[in-house]
Amino acid sequence: MRTALHAEWTKLRTSPATIWLLLAAVTLTAGVSAAAAATIPCKTAACLGDPAQISLTGVQLGQAVVVILAVLAVSGEHATGMIRTSLTAVPRRSTLLAAKAVAVTGVTMVTATVAVGTSVLAGRLLLPGSGYTAAHGFTPLSPTDGPTLRAAGGSMLYLCLIALLAVGVATVVRDTGASIGVMLALLYLVPIVTQALTDPDWKRHLQQATPTAGLAIQATRHLDTVAIPPWHGLAVLAAWAAGALLAAAVLIRTRDT
Amino acid sequence: MIVVNGLRKRFGPKTALDGMSFTVAAGQVTGFIGPNGAGKSTTMRVILDLDAADEGTALIDGRRYRSLHRPLTHVGSLLDASALQPSRTARNHLLWLAHSQGLGAGRVDEVLQRVGLSAAARQRAGGFSLGMRQRLGIAAALLGDPRALMLDEPFNGMDPEGIIWMRGFLRALAGEGRAVLVSSHLMSELQDTADHVVVAGRGRVIADATVAELRAAVSDGRVVVRTPSADAGVALIAAGASVIAADGDTLTVVGLAAQDVTAVLAGKGVPFSEVSAHRPSLEEAYVELTRDVVEYRAGDAPEGVR
């Protein structure tokens, strides 16, 4: 496993696309977060804005780049046939899958740390200008604040779980376009459809059961009104990732390549 | 040593392997020859545990490929020279392979040197010609300094210089005591390279012999006689031979060995300028053996069935 992991790390490191995707993930996450912090206003002490959540808005776009990175790491090998070279080097297929999942998750964790850290810093600097001031009852955004730390750290975990889900889906689907399509549908189309539902019970159930329930980890205010508590939401996403990886582990062992 | 025993494999309605069995011995080049669709590539994929056989076993030094620790140090293989990510450099492609076996960058530079790719090491592999990719694939196969090598159609895409290099290279690898299995659908590519030939057709072995044995097996005892005299045929038939072809001053006869033909003609005083036993080329031997199993007679249908 150690050598397989070393090989997967070398693959990621020596693929020219990796560095650009990581830079894109950081830039998009921090950029969108900063834009949200600078533009979502708080005009009175009674405003409903959640400073931590606002400053982590960019995660919703950054996750798309994480998906592309994770999918390419898997399906890119199927597109070129390199998967056969990989399997001759590491013939124990579950070892290959695990090594790939760990390498992609590790790179995602480092990227997420930078992206989320920058986002929180941007929020701390920009939110007061939007009205999240002491006068309206807000303290500056700080990672020493328990809920803020949970929202920020949880967002990093969220991105890692998205990467794991994408590795699982791409291992099952194998085709790059189809894998990215499935992932983007889960992350963007399903929430839109959910929003459009008129039946409040169905709406709540879907919000609780789909992968984006994991974004609940970002909520720090009005926790009594959210569809699912923060850690429960992250656990739902973890279950999705585990399910996808389990399906991947079964299929990669039984399929011809 | 690679031992393949009774492999059977179906892809849907199509039988790809139908009891394939053979052995690849150390210290020699074993040619694995057969028409397209004979099951050569499928056999190699099964040996490498890329495809699962429905029946039978393929063992390397007595073990399944999947159970080998650091497998590239046991068997080096080249199935598809294009099975790499085009944007990665040649050296980095070998580097991740080396890391997967616990080997370092030093070994990568050694094999690049050995296949003559040092100068192109830092170019993107996607820009390589097929011949250069074949060399890169050979470098990958040699990375773990394995005792056995398995190469699928390594001559494909090589220029004449590359083919000569590849032949000498394969001989040298066998000379180092390695077991070398090389597939080809052209006997001529392996004529002067292989010590042993496994001829496959329709998923099973139809001949497994040394090159000399293979030639002898299809030698049909024909003798070619060149003579200006019209009496030669009569004399030979009287001596028990049959004339199966006559073309100008050339007769082709069977039923008598060359030295007997010479004796008969000399005894009767019939003049002749040449008497020679017809020796089939390896190519003819191969065509003869695979006559009944060639699936796609015309055109060059792709190997494999998927």
Side-chain angles (χ1 to χ4, degrees):
Chain A
M1 178 68 196
R2 198 185 59 77
T3 52
L5 186 56
H6 191 186
E8 288 303 324
W9 162 238
T10 306
K11 278 185 201 170
L12 276 176
R13 185 168 64 77
T14 60
S15 174
T18 305
I19 186 67
W20 295 112
L21 285 170
L22 297 184
L23 284 174
V26 170
T27 311
L28 289 175
T29 304
V32 170
S33 295
T39 54
I40 297 176
C42 178
K43 296 196 171 92
T44 66
C47 78
L48 293 174
D50 182 337
Q53 198 167 34
I54 290 168
S55 74
L56 293 167
T57 306
V59 169
Q60 292 180 47
L61 187 58
Q63 65 181 354
V65 186
V66 168
V67 163
I68 293 170
L69 175 82
V71 165
L72 281 180
V74 177
S75 65
E77 294 208 14
H78 285 283
T80 57
M82 191 172 95
I83 182 67
R84 287 191 283 279
T85 311
S86 292
L87 282 173
T88 53
V90 183
R92 300 179 82 95
R93 297 180 177 200
S94 39
T95 303
L96 182 69
L97 176 63
K100 203 170 267 301
V102 170
V104 169
T105 307
V107 169
T108 303
M109 191 67 199
V110 173
T111 312
T113 304
V114 177
V116 167
T118 314
S119 296
V120 171
L121 183 65
R124 184 186 171 89
L125 296 174
L126 296 170
L127 282 169
S130 302
Y132 296 88
T133 56
H136 290 157
F138 294 98
T139 54
L141 211 54
S142 165
T144 56
D145 169 50
T148 305
L149 181 62
R150 186 250 299 145
S155 292
M156 298 176 199
L157 290 178
Y158 173 85
L159 288 172
C160 290
L161 289 170
I162 290 291
L164 285 171
L165 175 59
V167 166
V169 166
T171 304
V172 171
V173 177
R174 298 198 274 197
D175 177 71
T176 304
S179 302
I180 291 178
V182 168
M183 284 303 298
L184 294 189
L186 279 174
L187 297 182
Y188 299 108
L189 191 60
V190 171
I192 289 171
V193 171
T194 306
Q195 280 303 320
L197 287 178
T198 49
D199 184 325
D201 285 337
W202 271 105
K203 190 168 176 170
R204 194 165 45 84
H205 287 318
L206 269 177
Q207 282 171 340
Q208 289 169 338
T210 49
T212 42
L215 285 170
I217 198 72
Q218 296 182 340
T220 61
R221 294 185 74 203
H222 317 297
L223 289 180
D224 48 336
T225 63
V226 294
I228 188 166
W231 288 108
H232 289 92
L234 207 58
V236 168
L237 175 58
W240 274 83
L245 287 174
L246 191 66
V250 170
L251 283 176
I252 199 175
R253 288 166 73 101
T254 51
R255 276 198 297 221
D256 287 345
T257 44
Chain B
M1 186 158 95
I2 301 169
V3 180
V4 173
N5 192 5
L7 293 183
R8 288 178 199 280
K9 168 96 182 158
R10 298 180 72 85
F11 292 115
K14 164 129 188 149
T15 300
L17 298 179
D18 187 15
M20 184 74 79
S21 303
F22 61 87
T23 297
V24 185
Q28 60 182 32
V29 176
T30 301
F32 191 18
I33 305 181
N36 292 322
K40 306 186 296 293
S41 296
T42 304
T43 301
M44 289 186 165
R45 281 203 299 269
V46 169
I47 293 172
L48 295 173
D49 266 334
L50 292 172
D51 284 2
D54 301 332
E55 270 179 58
T57 55
L59 301 177
I60 295 118
D61 296 332
R63 296 169 64 188
R64 274 195 67 171
Y65 189 84
R66 199 174 289 195
S67 72
L68 296 173
H69 178 62
R70 297 185 179 175
L72 302 191
T73 62
H74 295 264
V75 192
S77 59
L78 168 59
L79 292 200
D80 175 5
S82 298
L84 45 77
Q85 192 186 321
S87 60
R88 201 173 273 122
T89 67
R91 188 170 184 280
N92 283 336
H93 174 67
L94 294 176
L95 193 60
W96 76 255
L97 272 172
H99 287 163
S100 75
Q101 309 299 303
L103 302 166
R107 181 62 190 157
V108 169
D109 294 326
E110 278 174 34
V111 292
L112 278 167
Q113 177 89 40
R114 183 149 190 202
V115 301
L117 276 182
S118 295
R122 286 171 201 278
Q123 290 174 23
R124 292 186 172 202
F128 280 10
S129 66
L130 184 51
M132 282 170 89
R133 287 189 197 195
Q134 296 280 26
R135 285 179 191 252
L136 180 57
I138 301 279
L142 289 172
L143 205 50
D145 194 18
R147 306 227 318 271
L149 282 148
M150 204 159 65
L151 313 173
D152 195 11
E153 303 272 0
F155 295 98
N156 270 4
M158 286 211 145
D159 54 20
E161 190 195 351
I163 289 174
I164 291 167
W165 171 80
M166 181 68 81
R167 284 189 177 138
F169 200 67
L170 295 175
R171 298 278 350 135
L173 291 170
E176 291 163 7
R178 301 177 212 264
V180 182
L181 180 67
V182 186
S183 82
S184 176
H185 61 285
L186 295 174
M187 183 66 106
S188 55
E189 286 177 342
L190 295 172
Q191 185 138 10
D192 305 318
T193 313
D195 306 285
H196 199 93
V197 177
V198 173
V199 181
R202 289 206 182 145
R204 57 177 170 266
V205 172
I206 52 182
D208 183 347
T210 65
V211 170
E213 285 168 351
L214 195 61
R215 271 211 184 92
V218 290
S219 175
D220 48 9
R222 277 183 283 175
V223 176
V224 177
V225 181
R226 200 177 292 269
T227 170
S229 165
D231 301 333
V234 177
L236 288 168
I237 289 165
S242 312
V243 175
I244 59 173
D247 178 20
D249 64 350
T250 305
L251 298 178
T252 304
V253 299
V254 293
L256 281 179
Q259 62 267 33
D260 299 329
V261 170
T262 313
V264 168
L265 294 178
K268 301 272 182 176
V270 179
F272 59 93
S273 59
E274 182 189 339
V275 172
S276 60
H278 173 78
R279 284 180 53 80
S281 72
L282 216 46
E283 194 71 46
E284 284 176 276
Y286 166 61
V287 169
E288 184 64 33
L289 279 166
T290 56
R291 187 174 308 264
D292 300 331
V293 296
V294 173
E295 234 172 307
Y296 310 102
R297 175 72 65 183
D300 209 23
E303 172 78 350
V305 291
R306 289 182 299 167

